[in-house]
């Protein structure tokens, strides 16, 4: 007796779900190896345009790769030193910030008591702790630093990837054994990822520099640390800038007072409005937009799967999946679901 078609469909769905869970469990178990590899891949994608530009100026490829790697390592080591010193000082100053917080909370509780709103000082101090946001940011940067402890392995992998980059589209074409010349789709896929990451990195770098300069002007402690955090979290559109501003404004409230914290919040808003709504769309065009819900869910998912690096790379990783889905008839409908509203309307016609 044959199995009915609805039952067959249910079994197929269960098998796919089970296989997906097995794959995710394997990826999570292999995260120690997978995370440095993914980081190396994205660094290579970002650095490859520099190598190509140097080759156009008749610089031999080995020398171009060497120069790019030296520049990258110099920047990473310099930032690591500055961020490491800032994190150490932040840890030392954390008790002082907590004392300042307690003093301010006592004043707030006493002030609102005049309006017959009675709150327990101990309860408020237990549940309201802006310094926790600073600790969370410090833990995130420390987690990234732990991954970068494998810097030598990452650099070696990046070097090999940069040498292999020109032949990668052809290799993928041959590996897929596609007689219909899907090489153009493969090239479009790699070019889209490359352009997105390169432009996003430059915009994020400009955002981090502007944030550091703004905070230095206000006299806030550790401006470089918060600038690096703004640079990293700018890879997460829509909500990344908000997450980056929370620990900074928490510190501003404690160190400079609510008024200056408000001005710093306006500064964050201005910087991210200019970078996110004027500069970035000009170079990315329509871009490869994701809906805000997908961005948030991808942040949770990749963070759970790969830790701190997964959170920072959540949008690029989801973007790669979306671009890959757009290149196939079978997956285009899912790419439309991942897209923002304005992209859905234009892509729905071709899905």
């Amino acid at each position: 007796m044959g199995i009915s078609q609805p039952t067959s469909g249910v079994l197929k769905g269960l098998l796919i779900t089970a296989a997906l869970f097995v794959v995710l469990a394997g990826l999570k178990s292999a995260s120690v190896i997978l995370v440095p590899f993914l980081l190396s891949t994205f660094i290579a994608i970002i650095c490859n345009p520099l190598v190509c530009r140097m080759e156009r100026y008749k610089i031999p490829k080995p020398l171009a790769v060497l120069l790019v790697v030296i520049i990258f390592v110099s920047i990473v080591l310099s930032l690591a030193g500055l961020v490491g010193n800032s994190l150490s000082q932040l840890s030392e100053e954390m008790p002082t910030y907590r004392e300042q917080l307690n003093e301010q909370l006592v004043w707030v509780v006493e002030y609102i008591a005049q309006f017959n709103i009675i709150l327990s000082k101990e309860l408020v101090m237990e549940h309201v702790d802006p310094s926790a946001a600073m600790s969370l940011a410090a833990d995130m940067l420390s987690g990234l630093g732990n991954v970068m402890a494998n810097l030598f392995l990452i650099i070696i992998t990046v070097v090999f990837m940069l040498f292999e980059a020109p032949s990668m589209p052809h290799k993928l074409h041959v590996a897929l054994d596609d007689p219909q010349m899907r090489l153009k789709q493969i090239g479009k896929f790699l070019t889209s990822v490359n352009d997105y990451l390169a432009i996003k990195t430059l915009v994020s770098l400009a955002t981090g520099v502007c944030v550091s300069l703004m905070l230095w002007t206000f006299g806030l402690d550790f401006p470089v640390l918060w600038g690096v955090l703004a640079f990293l979290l700018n890879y997460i559109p829509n909500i990344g800038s908000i997450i980056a501003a929370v620990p900074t404004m928490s510190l501003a409230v404690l160190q400079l007072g609510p008024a200056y914290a408000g001005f710093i919040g306006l500064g964050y808003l201005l910087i991210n409005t200019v970078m996110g709504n004027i500069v970035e769309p000009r170079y990315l065009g329509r871009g490869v937009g994701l809906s805000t819900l997908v961005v948030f869910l991808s942040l949770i998912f990749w963070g759970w799967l790969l830790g701190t690096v997964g959170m920072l790379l959540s949008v690029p990783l989801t973007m790669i999946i979306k671009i890959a889905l757009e290149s196939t008839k079978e997956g285009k409908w899912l790419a439309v679901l991942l897209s923002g509203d304005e992209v859905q309307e234009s892509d729905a016609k071709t899905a």
Side-chain angles (χ1 to χ4, degrees):
M1 184 175 177
I3 299 175
S4 64
Q5 189 173 352
T7 305
S8 176
V10 171
L11 288 175
K12 185 178 178 181
L14 289 174
L15 285 173
I16 292 174
T17 303
L20 183 61
F21 273 96
V22 170
V23 170
L24 291 177
L27 290 175
K28 191 168 179 62
S29 300
S31 60
V32 176
I33 300 172
L34 187 60
V35 166
F37 174 76
L38 283 175
L39 204 56
S40 302
T41 302
F42 282 100
I43 292 170
I45 291 173
I46 292 169
C47 293
N48 189 54
L50 293 175
V51 175
C52 294
R53 186 173 290 274
M54 288 183 180
E55 285 187 291
R56 291 196 197 105
Y57 289 100
K58 309 300 181 184
I59 298 176
K61 183 157 191 175
L63 181 58
V65 171
L66 179 63
L67 288 174
V68 169
V69 169
I70 289 174
I71 293 171
F72 171 75
V73 172
S74 301
I75 293 173
V76 168
L77 292 179
S78 300
L79 285 177
L82 289 170
V83 171
N85 290 334
S86 298
L87 286 175
S88 298
Q89 294 177 24
L90 179 62
S91 299
E92 294 174 0
E93 295 292 333
M94 196 63 73
T96 304
Y97 293 140
R98 285 199 172 93
E99 289 179 8
Q100 294 175 352
L101 172 65
N102 292 340
E103 293 175 1
Q104 293 187 16
L105 288 177
V106 168
W107 179 83
V108 170
V109 169
E110 292 176 350
Y111 179 77
I112 63 175
Q114 300 174 9
F115 302 94
N116 294 324
I117 302 175
I118 308 302
L119 294 176
S120 169
K121 297 177 184 178
E122 292 75 15
L123 187 64
V124 172
M125 291 176 186
E126 182 180 349
H127 290 88
V128 180
D129 188 7
S131 60
M134 293 182 282
S135 299
L136 180 62
D139 292 341
M140 181 181 293
L141 291 170
S142 298
L144 184 61
N146 293 334
V147 175
M148 293 304 292
N150 297 318
L151 185 61
F152 180 74
L153 175 63
I154 292 173
I155 293 302
I156 294 298
T157 308
V158 168
V159 169
F160 285 123
M161 286 181 173
L162 289 174
F163 278 111
E164 292 284 333
S167 61
M168 188 58 65
H170 181 69
K171 285 183 177 179
L172 287 174
H173 170 64
V174 174
L176 293 174
D177 191 23
D178 185 9
Q180 299 301 321
M181 288 300 293
R182 290 180 52 150
L183 189 60
K184 287 185 178 179
Q185 288 185 346
I186 296 170
K188 180 185 176 183
F189 166 69
L190 294 176
T191 301
S192 298
V193 175
N194 200 333
D195 290 346
Y196 172 79
L197 284 177
I199 294 171
K200 192 68 177 178
T201 298
L202 291 176
V203 173
S204 299
L205 183 62
T207 300
V209 170
C210 291
V211 166
S212 292
L213 290 175
M214 176 191 69
L215 298 179
W216 176 77
T217 303
F218 277 103
L220 191 71
D221 291 344
F222 319 117
V224 175
L225 177 67
W226 309 126
V228 171
L229 187 67
F231 161 72
L232 294 174
L233 292 181
N234 197 63
Y235 282 98
I236 306 172
N238 305 323
I239 60 175
S241 56
I242 298 174
I243 299 173
V246 169
T248 311
M249 293 187 64
S250 299
L251 177 60
V253 169
L254 299 178
Q255 182 188 343
L256 304 175
Y260 279 102
F263 284 118
I264 288 175
L266 290 175
Y268 265 99
L269 181 62
L270 177 63
I271 291 170
N272 287 289
T273 299
V274 172
M275 293 296 176
N277 297 330
I278 299 176
V279 177
E280 192 172 304
R282 179 177 179 182
Y283 294 100
L284 282 177
R286 188 194 73 171
V288 277
L290 299 171
S291 72
T292 305
L293 176 61
V294 170
V295 169
F296 181 70
L297 293 178
S298 68
L299 177 68
I300 297 173
F301 172 75
W302 292 110
W304 164 77
L305 190 65
L306 301 174
T308 302
V309 173
M311 293 175 66
L312 297 178
L313 298 181
S314 60
V315 170
L317 287 170
T318 309
M319 205 72 70
I320 287 176
I321 293 173
K322 177 177 174 291
I323 296 172
L325 290 171
E326 285 177 338
S327 301
T328 63
K329 272 188 178 180
E330 298 81 4
K332 189 164 288 188
W333 66 273
L334 185 54
V336 171
L337 292 179
L338 295 175
S339 304
D341 293 337
E342 72 284 351
V343 182
Q344 290 178 19
E345 293 174 2
S346 58
D347 286 355
K349 300 175 183 178
T350 58

